[in-house]
Structures are given as structure tokens and as C-alpha cells.
């Protein structure tokens, strides 16, 4: 069993993403050989590019206000307590729409973090 505090996990910027920080909370280094739990924080005005991956995402909004753009370009407002499933190869973009950090947990298969 592995137990961690988010504040003890290293944080890094994400190349190609404006004002986005990522933490690998639980992953292969912790013995998880199938799934990776990541924590993202998007600063005010920040966003990810509209992109897709060959793996699904499970997302839970933790704090702040934001939106997710779907494959058709439609924007959906998000707030703490919202859950999102992004299927493999489904285009998406997350954007902070508030003045505070927009934080979310993102769980992907291990291949999504290689």
C-alpha cells in the first residue's frame, strides 16, 4: 500500500500547455503497473491545447472554475465535484475560466504516461 500527501509530490510544468502544472501522484514508481493518477493545476488564463490521445481519461474536478471543450468544439462548464470521461482518441481541451487555480485529478492507463 502507498499513501501520499499531494504536497509531497513533485510538480512540473507541461510542455506545450499554457500555465499548466502536473503531478504524478501514483504511478509505476509506486508499484502501479496498470494505472496512473495525475493531478493537474491550471493557473488563471491557462489551458491545454485541443488534443486527443490513444487512451481514455477519468477526470474529477477538485477546485476552481473551468470548462472542457469536446470534439465538436462545444464548451461545457465545470466546477468542483464534476466527473468527466474522455474516451480514447476523443479531442478535448481544459481551460481555467476563473481567477483561482483550476485543479483536477486525471486517471489514465500506464501507457498514457509514457
Amino acid at each position: 500500500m502507498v499513501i501520499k500527501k499531494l504536497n509531497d509530490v513533485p510538480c512540473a510544468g507541461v510542455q506545450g500547455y499554457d500555465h499548466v502544472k502536473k503531478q504524478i501522484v501514483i504511478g509505476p514508481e509506486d508499484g502501479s503497473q496498470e494505472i496512473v493518477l495525475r493531478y493537474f493545476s491550471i493557473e488563471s488564463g491557462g489551458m491545454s491545447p485541443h488534443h486527443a490521445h490513444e487512451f481514455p481519461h477519468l477526470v474529477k474536478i477538485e477546485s476552481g472554475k473551468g470548462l472542457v471543450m469536446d470534439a465538436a468544439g462545444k464548451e461545457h462548464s465545470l466546477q468542483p465535484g464534476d466527473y468527466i470521461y474522455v474516451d480514447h482518441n476523443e479531442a478535448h481541451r481544459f481551460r481555467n475560466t476563473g481567477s483561482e487555480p483550476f485543479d483536477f485529478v486525471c486517471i489514465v492507463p500506464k501507457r498514457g504516461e509514457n
Side-chain angles (χ1 to χ4, degrees):
M1 179 180 298
V2 175
I3 300 172
K4 290 184 173 180
K5 300 267 188 223
L6 186 63
N7 290 341
D8 296 334
V9 177
C11 188
V14 182
Q15 186 176 356
Y17 291 54
D18 296 331
H19 309 290
V20 178
K21 294 178 183 174
K22 176 174 84 169
Q23 294 166 276
I24 305 297
V25 181
I26 303 288
E29 290 184 6
D30 303 298
S32 181
Q33 298 305 312
E34 295 184 30
I35 56 175
V36 178
L37 188 148
R38 311 174 308 173
Y39 193 95
F40 286 89
S41 183
I42 303 177
E43 298 171 14
S44 182
M47 70 181 78
S48 67
H50 199 225
H51 66 290
H53 308 283
E54 294 182 4
F55 51 86
H57 301 53
L58 299 174
V59 177
K60 179 185 182 277
I61 306 306
E62 293 290 302
S63 65
K65 293 181 183 178
L67 61 79
V68 63
M69 178 187 288
D70 64 23
K74 183 176 179 183
E75 296 181 332
H76 306 269
S77 294
L78 299 171
Q79 60 187 356
D82 286 345
Y83 295 84
I84 303 106
Y85 172 68
V86 180
D87 204 355
H88 65 283
N89 296 318
E90 182 178 5
H92 59 285
R93 173 173 68 196
F94 290 96
R95 181 165 60 95
N96 184 331
T97 58
S99 58
E100 301 295 322
F102 176 53
D103 295 352
F104 54 93
V105 172
C106 179
I107 301 170
V108 297
K110 180 182 169 189
R111 73 180 187 276
E113 194 51 47
N114 292 335

